Amino acid sequence: MADTLNGTVALVTGASSGIGEATAVDLARHGAAVALVARRRDRLDALAGRIGDAGGTALVIEADVADESAVGAAVARTVAELGRLDTVVANAGVMLLGPVADAPTEEWRRMVNLNVLGLMYTAHAALPHLLAAAEDGPRGVGDLVLVSSVAGRVARNGSGVYNATKHAVGAFGEALRQEVTQRHVRVALVEPGAVDTELAGHNRPEIMPSLEARFADMERLEAIDIAEAVSFVVTRPRRTAINEVLVRPTEQQ
Ligand code: NDP
């Protein structure tokens, strides 16, 4: 039986589209008040409207997760306006693929700054509040969900730096899990396979044909499939920590 999230507060980075958007909606459906963090304010405002219309509570925070001070301010504002912080989903990410040779290294910096450092800043800023939630929160736990990827488990020709960032997420998450688990902060890694979102669309035009060909004959996951995995993880009873969830489309090898 799942625990309710009534009385808890969640923060989701990358909530303006795809997995983050679906996760914010699903956490609100389970009763959490949700802070929505991303850069596209219009998208966040529309999402907050939908959550509000369904009877939930949402706080819009326009922030660049690659900016440490902006992440700190987002967490502080969440606690100031919603009163506490029990659940964090560090989801914001970018996937820029292609061979290492001749790659525009600006793409590497974008991925490392967001997928690795941004996720670490999020964890760092949230941790004191998650520890406080574990001590005296409504459920006696804090939850930190790190959105990695199947690319964090298996490296592929053409995904080198994206692979490196997602492998880093796994290493960071496991070390942090060991650091805080006895204080009832649960650190979970969620690793999606191919999901139908805007993620691939940020690649250079010359990369797109091979990317599209890879998934042409496959029924990809929908964002809700990952959102439901996240909700499952964070609604477990206090004694149960789901450390890692790998979710692939059935047809993905
Ligand atoms: P989307 O592109 O749909 O969503 C990415 C989200 O990240 C958007 O909300 C975007 O918002 C946000 N974001 C991007 N840059 C920043 C930034 N600098 N600061 C704050 N927010 C930012 O992709 P997905 O939903 O698919 O991706 C979510 C996560 O899932 C990523 O970590 C991705 O690596 C992972 N993943 C996705 C898979 C897939 O097949 N789709 C597979 C495996 C993992 P905005 O632009 O408004 O800032």
mmCIF file of all heavy atoms in Angstrom, residues 14-20 37-40 63-66 91-94 114 147-150 162 166 192-195 197-199 202, ligand 1:
data_model
loop_
_atom_site.group_PDB
_atom_site.id
_atom_site.type_symbol
_atom_site.label_atom_id
_atom_site.label_comp_id
_atom_site.label_asym_id
_atom_site.label_seq_id
_atom_site.Cartn_x
_atom_site.Cartn_y
_atom_site.Cartn_z
ATOM 1 N N GLY A 14 13.558 20.824 -14.048
ATOM 2 C CA GLY A 14 13.191 20.437 -15.414
ATOM 3 C C GLY A 14 11.724 20.105 -15.510
ATOM 4 O O GLY A 14 11.325 19.173 -16.210
ATOM 5 N N ALA A 15 10.899 20.907 -14.815
ATOM 6 C CA ALA A 15 9.459 20.606 -14.744
ATOM 7 C C ALA A 15 8.679 21.195 -15.913
ATOM 8 O O ALA A 15 7.466 20.999 -15.987
ATOM 9 C CB ALA A 15 8.889 21.128 -13.421
ATOM 10 N N SER A 16 9.350 21.882 -16.834
ATOM 11 C CA SER A 16 8.596 22.566 -17.899
ATOM 12 C C SER A 16 8.247 21.653 -19.068
ATOM 13 O O SER A 16 7.493 22.056 -19.952
ATOM 14 C CB SER A 16 9.384 23.779 -18.397
ATOM 15 O OG SER A 16 10.622 23.360 -18.924
ATOM 16 N N SER A 17 8.807 20.437 -19.109
ATOM 17 C CA SER A 17 8.427 19.512 -20.191
ATOM 18 C C SER A 17 8.762 18.079 -19.801
ATOM 19 O O SER A 17 9.397 17.828 -18.774
ATOM 20 C CB SER A 17 9.119 19.884 -21.516
ATOM 21 O OG SER A 17 10.504 19.690 -21.423
ATOM 22 N N GLY A 18 8.308 17.155 -20.640
ATOM 23 C CA GLY A 18 8.730 15.757 -20.563
ATOM 24 C C GLY A 18 8.548 15.105 -19.198
ATOM 25 O O GLY A 18 7.488 15.209 -18.557
ATOM 26 N N ILE A 19 9.590 14.419 -18.768
ATOM 27 C CA ILE A 19 9.535 13.604 -17.551
ATOM 28 C C ILE A 19 9.277 14.474 -16.319
ATOM 29 O O ILE A 19 8.494 14.105 -15.432
ATOM 30 C CB ILE A 19 10.861 12.811 -17.403
ATOM 31 C CG1 ILE A 19 10.971 11.777 -18.530
ATOM 32 C CG2 ILE A 19 10.957 12.156 -16.033
ATOM 33 C CD1 ILE A 19 12.361 11.147 -18.663
ATOM 34 N N GLY A 20 9.923 15.625 -16.249
ATOM 35 C CA GLY A 20 9.757 16.500 -15.081
ATOM 36 C C GLY A 20 8.327 16.997 -14.956
ATOM 37 O O GLY A 20 7.750 17.024 -13.856
ATOM 38 N N VAL A 37 10.614 23.890 -11.168
ATOM 39 C CA VAL A 37 11.833 24.645 -11.489
ATOM 40 C C VAL A 37 12.259 24.359 -12.926
ATOM 41 O O VAL A 37 12.392 23.198 -13.321
ATOM 42 C CB VAL A 37 12.980 24.253 -10.523
ATOM 43 C CG1 VAL A 37 14.245 25.049 -10.845
ATOM 44 C CG2 VAL A 37 12.557 24.462 -9.075
ATOM 45 N N ALA A 38 12.464 25.411 -13.698
ATOM 46 C CA ALA A 38 13.027 25.326 -15.055
ATOM 47 C C ALA A 38 13.205 26.759 -15.547
ATOM 48 O O ALA A 38 12.951 27.714 -14.792
ATOM 49 C CB ALA A 38 12.119 24.525 -15.999
ATOM 50 N N ARG A 39 13.612 26.912 -16.822
ATOM 51 C CA ARG A 39 13.846 28.273 -17.333
ATOM 52 C C ARG A 39 12.631 28.848 -18.054
ATOM 53 O O ARG A 39 12.429 30.046 -18.052
ATOM 54 C CB ARG A 39 15.044 28.264 -18.288
ATOM 55 C CG ARG A 39 16.361 27.883 -17.603
ATOM 56 C CD ARG A 39 17.434 27.586 -18.616
ATOM 57 N NE ARG A 39 16.979 26.521 -19.509
ATOM 58 C CZ ARG A 39 17.627 26.092 -20.579
ATOM 59 N NH1 ARG A 39 18.795 26.624 -20.884
ATOM 60 N NH2 ARG A 39 17.132 25.122 -21.336
ATOM 61 N N ARG A 40 11.798 27.993 -18.668
ATOM 62 C CA ARG A 40 10.676 28.523 -19.473
ATOM 63 C C ARG A 40 9.458 28.806 -18.594
ATOM 64 O O ARG A 40 8.650 27.930 -18.319
ATOM 65 C CB ARG A 40 10.312 27.532 -20.596
ATOM 66 C CG ARG A 40 11.328 27.514 -21.728
ATOM 67 C CD ARG A 40 11.041 26.406 -22.699
ATOM 68 N NE ARG A 40 11.233 25.086 -22.103
ATOM 69 C CZ ARG A 40 11.003 23.931 -22.726
ATOM 70 N NH1 ARG A 40 10.568 23.926 -23.971
ATOM 71 N NH2 ARG A 40 11.219 22.796 -22.103
ATOM 72 N N ALA A 63 14.399 29.259 -12.987
ATOM 73 C CA ALA A 63 15.803 29.208 -12.573
ATOM 74 C C ALA A 63 16.609 28.356 -13.534
ATOM 75 O O ALA A 63 16.102 27.382 -14.097
ATOM 76 C CB ALA A 63 15.916 28.623 -11.159
ATOM 77 N N ASP A 64 17.876 28.731 -13.698
ATOM 78 C CA ASP A 64 18.835 27.943 -14.467
ATOM 79 C C ASP A 64 19.552 27.017 -13.488
ATOM 80 O O ASP A 64 20.288 27.479 -12.610
ATOM 81 C CB ASP A 64 19.824 28.881 -15.159
ATOM 82 C CG ASP A 64 20.840 28.133 -16.010
ATOM 83 O OD1 ASP A 64 20.964 26.896 -15.864
ATOM 84 O OD2 ASP A 64 21.520 28.794 -16.809
ATOM 85 N N VAL A 65 19.330 25.728 -13.645
ATOM 86 C CA VAL A 65 19.859 24.760 -12.678
ATOM 87 C C VAL A 65 21.394 24.638 -12.779
ATOM 88 O O VAL A 65 22.048 24.161 -11.850
ATOM 89 C CB VAL A 65 19.152 23.395 -12.855
ATOM 90 C CG1 VAL A 65 19.807 22.288 -12.057
ATOM 91 C CG2 VAL A 65 17.679 23.514 -12.454
ATOM 92 N N ALA A 66 21.968 25.111 -13.866
ATOM 93 C CA ALA A 66 23.433 25.090 -13.976
ATOM 94 C C ALA A 66 24.084 26.214 -13.172
ATOM 95 O O ALA A 66 25.309 26.276 -13.071
ATOM 96 C CB ALA A 66 23.852 25.195 -15.448
ATOM 97 N N ASN A 91 15.988 16.266 -12.081
ATOM 98 C CA ASN A 91 15.640 15.696 -13.385
ATOM 99 C C ASN A 91 16.176 16.519 -14.558
ATOM 100 O O ASN A 91 16.402 15.973 -15.638
ATOM 101 C CB ASN A 91 14.102 15.586 -13.454
ATOM 102 C CG ASN A 91 13.577 15.479 -14.856
ATOM 103 O OD1 ASN A 91 13.645 14.413 -15.468
ATOM 104 N ND2 ASN A 91 13.075 16.580 -15.402
ATOM 105 N N ALA A 92 16.401 17.812 -14.361
ATOM 106 C CA ALA A 92 16.803 18.670 -15.493
ATOM 107 C C ALA A 92 18.036 18.092 -16.160
ATOM 108 O O ALA A 92 19.014 17.744 -15.494
ATOM 109 C CB ALA A 92 17.081 20.086 -15.000
ATOM 110 N N GLY A 93 17.986 17.987 -17.484
ATOM 111 C CA GLY A 93 19.132 17.426 -18.188
ATOM 112 C C GLY A 93 19.059 17.730 -19.666
ATOM 113 O O GLY A 93 18.003 18.102 -20.196
ATOM 114 N N VAL A 94 20.203 17.581 -20.323
ATOM 115 C CA VAL A 94 20.278 17.787 -21.760
ATOM 116 C C VAL A 94 21.135 16.666 -22.354
ATOM 117 O O VAL A 94 22.065 16.181 -21.704
ATOM 118 C CB VAL A 94 20.814 19.213 -22.054
ATOM 119 C CG1 VAL A 94 22.224 19.409 -21.544
ATOM 120 C CG2 VAL A 94 20.691 19.578 -23.505
ATOM 121 N N LEU A 114 25.019 21.050 -16.474
ATOM 122 C CA LEU A 114 23.631 20.790 -16.056
ATOM 123 C C LEU A 114 23.465 19.375 -15.486
ATOM 124 O O LEU A 114 23.018 19.199 -14.349
ATOM 125 C CB LEU A 114 22.678 20.992 -17.244
ATOM 126 C CG LEU A 114 21.197 20.764 -16.925
ATOM 127 C CD1 LEU A 114 20.692 21.769 -15.898
ATOM 128 C CD2 LEU A 114 20.350 20.842 -18.195
ATOM 129 N N VAL A 147 17.522 11.574 -11.701
ATOM 130 C CA VAL A 147 17.146 11.005 -12.997
ATOM 131 C C VAL A 147 18.414 10.831 -13.832
ATOM 132 O O VAL A 147 19.033 11.789 -14.274
ATOM 133 C CB VAL A 147 16.099 11.872 -13.724
ATOM 134 C CG1 VAL A 147 15.772 11.258 -15.084
ATOM 135 C CG2 VAL A 147 14.835 11.988 -12.869
ATOM 136 N N SER A 148 18.803 9.580 -13.964
ATOM 137 C CA SER A 148 19.962 9.224 -14.786
ATOM 138 C C SER A 148 19.428 8.741 -16.128
ATOM 139 O O SER A 148 18.560 9.376 -16.732
ATOM 140 C CB SER A 148 20.799 8.167 -14.072
ATOM 141 O OG SER A 148 21.873 7.763 -14.875
ATOM 142 N N SER A 149 19.885 7.595 -16.588
ATOM 143 C CA SER A 149 19.492 7.090 -17.908
ATOM 144 C C SER A 149 20.043 5.691 -18.071
ATOM 145 O O SER A 149 20.993 5.291 -17.386
ATOM 146 C CB SER A 149 20.107 7.993 -18.984
ATOM 147 O OG SER A 149 19.941 7.422 -20.267
ATOM 148 N N VAL A 150 19.486 4.957 -19.028
ATOM 149 C CA VAL A 150 20.132 3.719 -19.437
ATOM 150 C C VAL A 150 21.559 4.048 -19.908
ATOM 151 O O VAL A 150 22.482 3.233 -19.774
ATOM 152 C CB VAL A 150 19.270 3.017 -20.516
ATOM 153 C CG1 VAL A 150 19.440 3.661 -21.873
ATOM 154 C CG2 VAL A 150 19.534 1.548 -20.604
ATOM 155 N N TYR A 162 27.576 12.391 -22.964
ATOM 156 C CA TYR A 162 26.295 12.145 -22.273
ATOM 157 C C TYR A 162 26.437 10.914 -21.374
ATOM 158 O O TYR A 162 26.028 10.922 -20.219
ATOM 159 C CB TYR A 162 25.178 11.953 -23.300
ATOM 160 C CG TYR A 162 23.799 11.785 -22.694
ATOM 161 C CD1 TYR A 162 23.188 12.816 -21.993
ATOM 162 C CD2 TYR A 162 23.100 10.585 -22.831
ATOM 163 C CE1 TYR A 162 21.920 12.663 -21.439
ATOM 164 C CE2 TYR A 162 21.829 10.425 -22.285
ATOM 165 C CZ TYR A 162 21.251 11.461 -21.596
ATOM 166 O OH TYR A 162 19.988 11.313 -21.042
ATOM 167 N N LYS A 166 25.978 10.758 -17.199
ATOM 168 C CA LYS A 166 25.006 9.909 -16.510
ATOM 169 C C LYS A 166 25.700 8.840 -15.650
ATOM 170 O O LYS A 166 25.169 8.454 -14.601
ATOM 171 C CB LYS A 166 24.033 9.287 -17.520
ATOM 172 C CG LYS A 166 23.123 10.322 -18.200
ATOM 173 C CD LYS A 166 22.267 11.098 -17.191
ATOM 174 C CE LYS A 166 21.215 11.974 -17.860
ATOM 175 N NZ LYS A 166 20.373 12.693 -16.869
ATOM 176 N N PRO A 192 15.756 5.986 -17.129
ATOM 177 C CA PRO A 192 14.853 5.703 -18.252
ATOM 178 C C PRO A 192 15.608 5.227 -19.488
ATOM 179 O O PRO A 192 16.741 5.633 -19.743
ATOM 180 C CB PRO A 192 14.201 7.067 -18.545
ATOM 181 C CG PRO A 192 14.539 7.951 -17.382
ATOM 182 C CD PRO A 192 15.833 7.423 -16.831
ATOM 183 N N GLY A 193 14.936 4.379 -20.267
ATOM 184 C CA GLY A 193 15.331 4.142 -21.648
ATOM 185 C C GLY A 193 14.710 5.245 -22.505
ATOM 186 O O GLY A 193 14.454 6.344 -22.009
ATOM 187 N N ALA A 194 14.428 4.945 -23.765
ATOM 188 C CA ALA A 194 13.954 5.996 -24.677
ATOM 189 C C ALA A 194 12.535 6.445 -24.319
ATOM 190 O O ALA A 194 11.608 5.639 -24.286
ATOM 191 C CB ALA A 194 13.975 5.472 -26.105
ATOM 192 N N VAL A 195 12.386 7.733 -24.054
ATOM 193 C CA VAL A 195 11.091 8.318 -23.702
ATOM 194 C C VAL A 195 10.759 9.382 -24.746
ATOM 195 O O VAL A 195 11.635 10.151 -25.163
ATOM 196 C CB VAL A 195 11.142 8.984 -22.304
ATOM 197 C CG1 VAL A 195 9.743 9.412 -21.877
ATOM 198 C CG2 VAL A 195 11.761 8.053 -21.269
ATOM 199 N N THR A 197 9.991 12.602 -25.562
ATOM 200 C CA THR A 197 9.981 13.961 -24.990
ATOM 201 C C THR A 197 10.713 14.895 -25.961
ATOM 202 O O THR A 197 11.097 14.493 -27.059
ATOM 203 C CB THR A 197 10.722 13.999 -23.635
ATOM 204 O OG1 THR A 197 12.120 13.789 -23.876
ATOM 205 C CG2 THR A 197 10.202 12.966 -22.658
ATOM 206 N N GLU A 198 10.990 16.105 -25.490
ATOM 207 C CA GLU A 198 11.696 17.081 -26.332
ATOM 208 C C GLU A 198 13.213 16.875 -26.320
ATOM 209 O O GLU A 198 13.952 17.597 -27.002
ATOM 210 C CB GLU A 198 11.399 18.499 -25.819
ATOM 211 C CG GLU A 198 9.937 18.871 -25.891
ATOM 212 C CD GLU A 198 9.622 20.213 -25.226
ATOM 213 O OE1 GLU A 198 10.561 20.991 -24.943
ATOM 214 O OE2 GLU A 198 8.444 20.478 -24.987
ATOM 215 N N LEU A 199 13.698 15.914 -25.536
ATOM 216 C CA LEU A 199 15.137 15.809 -25.247
ATOM 217 C C LEU A 199 16.009 15.729 -26.502
ATOM 218 O O LEU A 199 17.007 16.446 -26.620
ATOM 219 C CB LEU A 199 15.384 14.576 -24.371
ATOM 220 C CG LEU A 199 16.787 14.437 -23.794
ATOM 221 C CD1 LEU A 199 17.012 15.449 -22.667
ATOM 222 C CD2 LEU A 199 17.034 13.028 -23.259
ATOM 223 N N HIS A 202 17.151 18.834 -29.199
ATOM 224 C CA HIS A 202 18.157 19.885 -28.991
ATOM 225 C C HIS A 202 19.467 19.571 -29.704
ATOM 226 O O HIS A 202 20.429 20.336 -29.604
ATOM 227 C CB HIS A 202 18.404 20.087 -27.502
ATOM 228 C CG HIS A 202 17.160 20.426 -26.734
ATOM 229 N ND1 HIS A 202 16.435 21.583 -26.965
ATOM 230 C CD2 HIS A 202 16.473 19.758 -25.786
ATOM 231 C CE1 HIS A 202 15.375 21.611 -26.176
ATOM 232 N NE2 HIS A 202 15.371 20.503 -25.452
HETATM 233 P P1 NDP B 1 12.963 17.423 -21.961
HETATM 234 O O1 NDP B 1 13.892 18.117 -22.916
HETATM 235 O O2 NDP B 1 11.532 17.283 -22.326
HETATM 236 O O3 NDP B 1 13.041 18.135 -20.535
HETATM 237 C C1 NDP B 1 14.225 18.672 -20.032
HETATM 238 C C2 NDP B 1 13.877 19.604 -18.908
HETATM 239 O O4 NDP B 1 15.094 20.142 -18.377
HETATM 240 C C3 NDP B 1 13.027 20.777 -19.370
HETATM 241 O O5 NDP B 1 12.048 21.037 -18.412
HETATM 242 C C4 NDP B 1 14.012 21.918 -19.424
HETATM 243 O O6 NDP B 1 13.359 23.145 -19.131
HETATM 244 C C5 NDP B 1 14.951 21.539 -18.303
HETATM 245 N N1 NDP B 1 16.222 22.216 -18.426
HETATM 246 C C6 NDP B 1 17.100 22.165 -19.450
HETATM 247 N N2 NDP B 1 18.140 22.971 -19.205
HETATM 248 C C7 NDP B 1 17.902 23.549 -17.998
HETATM 249 C C8 NDP B 1 18.595 24.478 -17.201
HETATM 250 N N3 NDP B 1 19.791 24.983 -17.574
HETATM 251 N N4 NDP B 1 18.046 24.872 -16.031
HETATM 252 C C9 NDP B 1 16.846 24.379 -15.646
HETATM 253 N N5 NDP B 1 16.162 23.479 -16.335
HETATM 254 C C10 NDP B 1 16.681 23.079 -17.508
HETATM 255 O O7 NDP B 1 13.621 16.004 -21.718
HETATM 256 P P2 NDP B 1 13.248 14.756 -20.774
HETATM 257 O O8 NDP B 1 12.049 15.007 -19.993
HETATM 258 O O9 NDP B 1 13.328 13.576 -21.633
HETATM 259 O O10 NDP B 1 14.537 14.734 -19.838
HETATM 260 C C11 NDP B 1 14.487 14.783 -18.425
HETATM 261 C C12 NDP B 1 15.635 13.954 -17.871
HETATM 262 O O11 NDP B 1 15.450 12.602 -18.272
HETATM 263 C C13 NDP B 1 17.029 14.361 -18.357
HETATM 264 O O12 NDP B 1 17.925 14.323 -17.277
HETATM 265 C C14 NDP B 1 17.369 13.274 -19.363
HETATM 266 O O13 NDP B 1 18.757 13.088 -19.483
HETATM 267 C C15 NDP B 1 16.670 12.089 -18.746
HETATM 268 N N6 NDP B 1 16.417 10.993 -19.679
HETATM 269 C C16 NDP B 1 15.573 11.152 -20.743
HETATM 270 C C17 NDP B 1 15.405 10.104 -21.642
HETATM 271 C C18 NDP B 1 14.555 10.237 -22.862
HETATM 272 O O14 NDP B 1 14.592 9.318 -23.718
HETATM 273 N N7 NDP B 1 13.763 11.288 -23.023
HETATM 274 C C19 NDP B 1 16.074 8.817 -21.453
HETATM 275 C C20 NDP B 1 16.908 8.766 -20.293
HETATM 276 C C21 NDP B 1 17.060 9.813 -19.449
HETATM 277 P P3 NDP B 1 13.737 24.595 -19.678
HETATM 278 O O15 NDP B 1 14.246 24.436 -21.077
HETATM 279 O O16 NDP B 1 12.431 25.319 -19.582
HETATM 280 O O17 NDP B 1 14.755 25.130 -18.732
#
